[in-house]
Amino acid sequence: MVELKTDSSIDAMYEAGQVVGRALTAVRQAADVGVSLLELDELAHEVLRGAGATSPFLGYRPSFAPTPFPAVACTSVNDAIVHGIPTAYRLRDGDLVSVDFGAELGGWAGDSAISFVVGTPRPADLRLIETAERALAAGIEAAVVGNRIGDIAHAIGTVCRAGGYGIPDGFGGHGIGRHMHEDPPVPNEGRPGRGFRLRHGMALAIEPMLIGGGTDGYHEAPDGWTLRTNDGSRAAHVEHTVAITDSGPRILTAR
């Protein structure tokens, strides 16, 4: 069931989204050669505590997971697409890092992700990230009253495929509100004019995931959480929580 939020509820979701934005900004600023993924996770946790917010990631266990997620942030490095578990791994020059983070505040959730390069970037990585961000922007632009979920999916997929990138099937965005994951699902590729019609009060987490090598194949790492590219190429993941309103899409996790 898709829940339509009131304007005051959307305002409350914005407050949760701002906690998410502050945490991702802090993590991005702290990420440097020699910094561990666990240190970045702890920094994000400090932002949550300082805001009086809680984590929808910590302890989360969907049906596919062998264990509850043990951290507040997903940190995916290089060929990891999503769901990377923070470890003692220390960042190296040129690493491509994607950080996915959520917060719950006042009964409402926010969810967002960023991708960036630590130290000296490869031009191919910068192009991959820039394309992911353009795909996100295209998806948000299509998130208007009267459009359908398929219009968002088509907008994202068109940008990704035009760049020559792969899209991991079965993973994409989702509705969000009182819980991090709600209906409807928001694929990263699809046919325009199909799917649930967008209405004022809907809230969606829109999140393109791109595989740099151009193939769509991925596999689950031994930890049961991390998804890695089959071809060993790098991946990028970006995301915003967006409210559908009569005056246009409102980004609730804007940084």
Side-chain angles (χ1 to χ4, degrees):
M1 184 180 73
V2 176
E3 179 189 17
L4 298 180
K5 282 73 176 176
T6 65
D7 291 346
S8 60
S9 295
I10 291 173
D11 288 340
M13 289 186 67
Y14 176 83
E15 295 304 318
Q18 292 311 287
V19 176
V20 176
R22 290 198 299 273
L24 288 175
T25 297
V27 166
R28 175 67 185 92
Q29 291 173 344
D32 203 353
V33 174
V35 175
S36 77
L37 300 180
L38 284 173
E39 288 170 339
L40 296 181
D41 185 70
E42 176 56 29
L43 176 58
H45 209 158
E46 288 177 5
V47 174
L48 280 179
R49 288 190 288 259
T54 58
S55 172
F57 288 21
L58 183 63
Y60 179 59
R61 188 179 183 182
S63 59
F64 68 81
T67 58
F69 195 75
V72 302
C74 297
T75 53
S76 305
V77 180
N78 296 330
D79 67 326
I81 306 168
V82 288
H83 302 163
I85 296 176
T87 66
Y89 175 84
R90 294 193 177 276
L91 295 171
R92 302 170 184 173
D93 187 53
D95 277 346
L96 195 166
V97 183
S98 297
V99 180
D100 190 0
F101 181 79
E104 291 180 343
L105 182 69
W108 297 98
D111 188 10
S112 185
I114 57 173
S115 288
F116 55 88
V117 177
V118 175
T120 307
R122 302 178 185 181
D125 289 345
L126 295 181
R127 178 174 174 269
L128 174 64
I129 294 169
E130 187 271 336
T131 304
E133 291 173 343
R134 284 196 294 109
L136 176 59
I140 293 172
E141 186 177 359
V144 297
V145 172
N147 271 1
R148 294 182 180 269
I149 291 293
D151 295 307
I152 298 175
H154 179 71
I156 293 170
T158 298
V159 174
C160 296
R161 296 302 189 187
Y165 298 116
I167 301 171
D169 183 47
F171 286 87
H174 47 88
I176 185 171
R178 300 179 190 276
H179 305 283
M180 179 173 60
H181 290 137
E182 297 183 352
D183 289 332
V186 186
N188 285 327
E189 192 168 33
R191 297 177 63 181
R194 299 294 183 92
F196 201 92
R197 187 175 296 278
L198 305 182
R199 297 170 58 188
H200 178 89
M202 290 177 63
L204 306 173
I206 300 173
E207 50 180 323
M209 304 169 194
L210 281 65
I211 297 175
T215 63
D216 296 349
Y218 62 90
H219 62 275
E220 186 180 276
D223 63 22
W225 276 97
T226 308
L227 300 184
R228 296 190 178 277
T229 62
N230 281 351
D231 60 10
S233 66
R234 297 186 171 202
H237 172 211
V238 294
E239 176 184 18
H240 270 309
T241 294
V242 180
I244 312 300
T245 78
D246 288 330
S247 57
R250 180 183 178 187
I251 301 175
L252 304 181
T253 47
R255 292 179 288 278

